[in-house]
Amino acid sequence: MTDLHGTPTAAELVAAVAEFLETDVLQATSGAVKFHTRVAANVLRTVERELLDDSPAPDLLGFADERALAAAIRSGDLDDRAAEVSAALRHLVTHRLAVSHPGYDAQ
């Protein structure tokens, strides 16, 4: 989507660069450069999906961020909530995979 002034969004810019890499650059390179071009295009496609992702943030069991949740798990503060922690982590990983590797859950 673009705004009224026709300025491309960050997702559109990332997609355009990824497409350039996937078509023009990939076709014109070989060996390590071709491999690195493919990696760069995949990274850009992941960033594009992250920018377009409007799904609700995974439940972090009331913690401000994943780092705080991880610290609570490490310290044993959530040992009595194992089922909740397991469900939250499963949802978090599923959400990450949906962005980084679409279709993974269908395999």
Side-chain angles (χ1 to χ4, degrees):
M1 286 184 124
T2 58
D3 64 19
L4 293 176
H5 303 290
T7 304
T9 65
E12 290 170 333
L13 291 170
V14 167
V17 174
E19 184 176 337
F20 168 71
L21 291 173
E22 291 165 345
T23 56
D24 298 349
V25 178
L26 203 56
Q27 303 298 324
T29 58
S30 63
V33 174
K34 187 171 192 159
F35 171 76
H36 290 290
T37 299
R38 191 180 311 275
V39 170
N42 285 338
V43 168
L44 288 170
R45 291 300 185 187
T46 300
V47 171
E48 177 189 12
R49 287 188 296 273
E50 286 179 357
L51 290 169
L52 295 172
D53 181 22
D54 61 356
S55 61
D59 176 24
L60 298 178
L61 303 177
F63 291 91
D65 55 29
E66 291 178 35
R67 203 175 285 255
L69 175 60
I73 291 169
R74 276 193 301 277
S75 70
D77 291 346
L78 298 174
D79 286 354
D80 60 335
R81 298 171 65 187
E84 286 178 84
V85 170
S86 180
L89 293 177
R90 189 173 296 108
H91 185 259
L92 182 64
V93 169
T94 301
H95 181 259
R96 279 192 181 171
L97 283 172
V99 171
S100 65
H101 190 35
Y104 178 81
D105 60 346
Q107 293 180 0

